[in-house]
Amino acid sequence: DTEVTQTPKHLVMGMTNKKSLKCEQHMGHRAMYWYKQKAKKPPELMFVYSYEKLSINESVPSRFSPECPNSSLLNLHLHALQPEDSALYLCASSQGELAETQYFGPGTRLLVL
Amino acid sequence: KQEVTQIPAALSVPEGENLVLNCSFTDSAIYNLQWFRQDPGKGLTSLLLIQSSQREQTSGRLNASLDKSSGRSTLYIAASQPGDSATYLCAASGSARQLTFGSGTQLTVLP
């Protein structure tokens, strides 16, 4: 099983809402990632978790809050987002952080009104 | 800071043609280079990963090469099919422990 699942597929939220994105993998991978991708642009790294600990935060605004409850699950909590945060949010996992194939989920398409 | 460039940005070919997609990177101190495929509005599918010690990798009709000294990688697609139409992204993994993506090549294979 080389699948990374993400829920929901689509999300529309207002600027005052609080919502969460969920990512799950059952490949025994110990590194998990959040990326943000705007239309016709490459993915941009947001966060990296390694062995359930945050190892990289790419200067992401505090309105994005990641959480790794266990080795299979990664959440991204959203609060007070701006319209410019509308994008495709991709989750990925790999066996380790370095020199490993990253497997991506299908993404959550987020629209902030 | 690593920069990854992909040329061309878009490519249209008739079905059956062999084609080459190019990727260049500025910092040769990479751990690996990955090629991904992305269909519109979808996630990324890993196609090939070349470790820094390798020169090429093959999977079916795909062959990827890596030349660290010149900072280049190519993805060769043999006998292209309409189902190959997608955006192809290369990404270099370096000392910063993250993937740096190119902007992609949008490939259209015409029936």
Side-chain angles (χ1 to χ4, degrees):
Chain A
D1 181 8
T2 58
E3 189 178 24
V4 176
T5 59
Q6 290 187 243
T7 54
K9 286 187 169 55
H10 303 276
L11 180 62
V12 180
M13 59 186 291
M15 289 189 284
T16 58
N17 292 156
K18 286 185 181 181
K19 297 286 184 184
S20 296
L21 310 185
K22 179 181 173 181
C23 172
E24 201 161 3
Q25 57 87 14
H26 295 287
M27 296 178 277
H29 289 174
R30 304 315 301 262
M32 297 185 76
Y33 312 78
W34 280 116
Y35 289 86
K36 173 182 177 179
Q37 186 178 27
K38 303 282 278 184
K40 297 196 181 298
K41 297 290 187 182
E44 296 176 353
L45 183 66
M46 300 174 72
F47 303 103
V48 180
Y49 272 82
S50 181
Y51 290 85
E52 300 163 49
K53 294 196 186 308
L54 183 65
S55 64
I56 294 178
N57 177 340
E58 287 294 320
S59 302
V60 179
S62 60
R63 57 186 184 268
F64 295 92
S65 175
E67 179 195 19
C68 189
N70 60 57
S71 60
S72 301
L73 192 56
L74 185 66
N75 297 320
L76 185 62
H77 303 297
L78 314 172
H79 174 56
L81 294 194
Q82 303 297 310
E84 60 264 29
D85 296 321
S86 298
L88 180 67
Y89 288 84
L90 295 164
C91 173
S93 71
S94 64
Q95 186 65 42
E97 275 191 70
L98 291 173
E100 300 285 349
T101 299
Q102 289 191 21
Y103 295 89
F104 282 76
T108 293
R109 176 73 61 187
L110 174 66
L111 177 61
V112 182
L113 300 176
Chain B
K1 181 185 172 185
Q2 178 76 272
E3 292 183 5
V4 179
T5 304
Q6 290 187 247
I7 296 173
L11 180 64
S12 184
V13 300
E15 182 177 3
E17 271 205 8
N18 303 325
L19 59 101
V20 175
L21 307 181
N22 297 295
C23 172
S24 61
F25 46 94
T26 56
D27 185 352
S28 61
I30 62 172
Y31 287 98
N32 63 51
L33 188 130
Q34 282 188 249
W35 283 93
F36 294 90
R37 167 188 172 137
Q38 186 172 32
D39 293 288
K42 306 289 187 183
L44 279 66
T45 300
S46 179
L47 298 174
L48 290 164
L49 179 145
I50 312 176
Q51 302 287 1
S52 61
S53 57
Q54 297 174 320
R55 297 299 296 267
E56 66 178 291
Q57 281 285 335
T58 298
S59 176
R61 295 182 293 108
L62 305 180
N63 176 277
S65 68
L66 176 64
D67 184 342
K68 282 179 54 178
S69 62
S70 66
R72 293 183 181 180
S73 177
T74 61
L75 178 67
Y76 174 82
I77 303 177
S80 58
Q81 304 169 357
D84 295 330
S85 298
T87 295
Y88 290 81
L89 295 152
C90 69
S93 175
S95 57
R97 298 185 297 157
Q98 59 181 274
L99 289 180
T100 301
F101 283 87
S103 296
T105 294
Q106 185 174 352
L107 173 66
T108 303
V109 181
L110 303 169

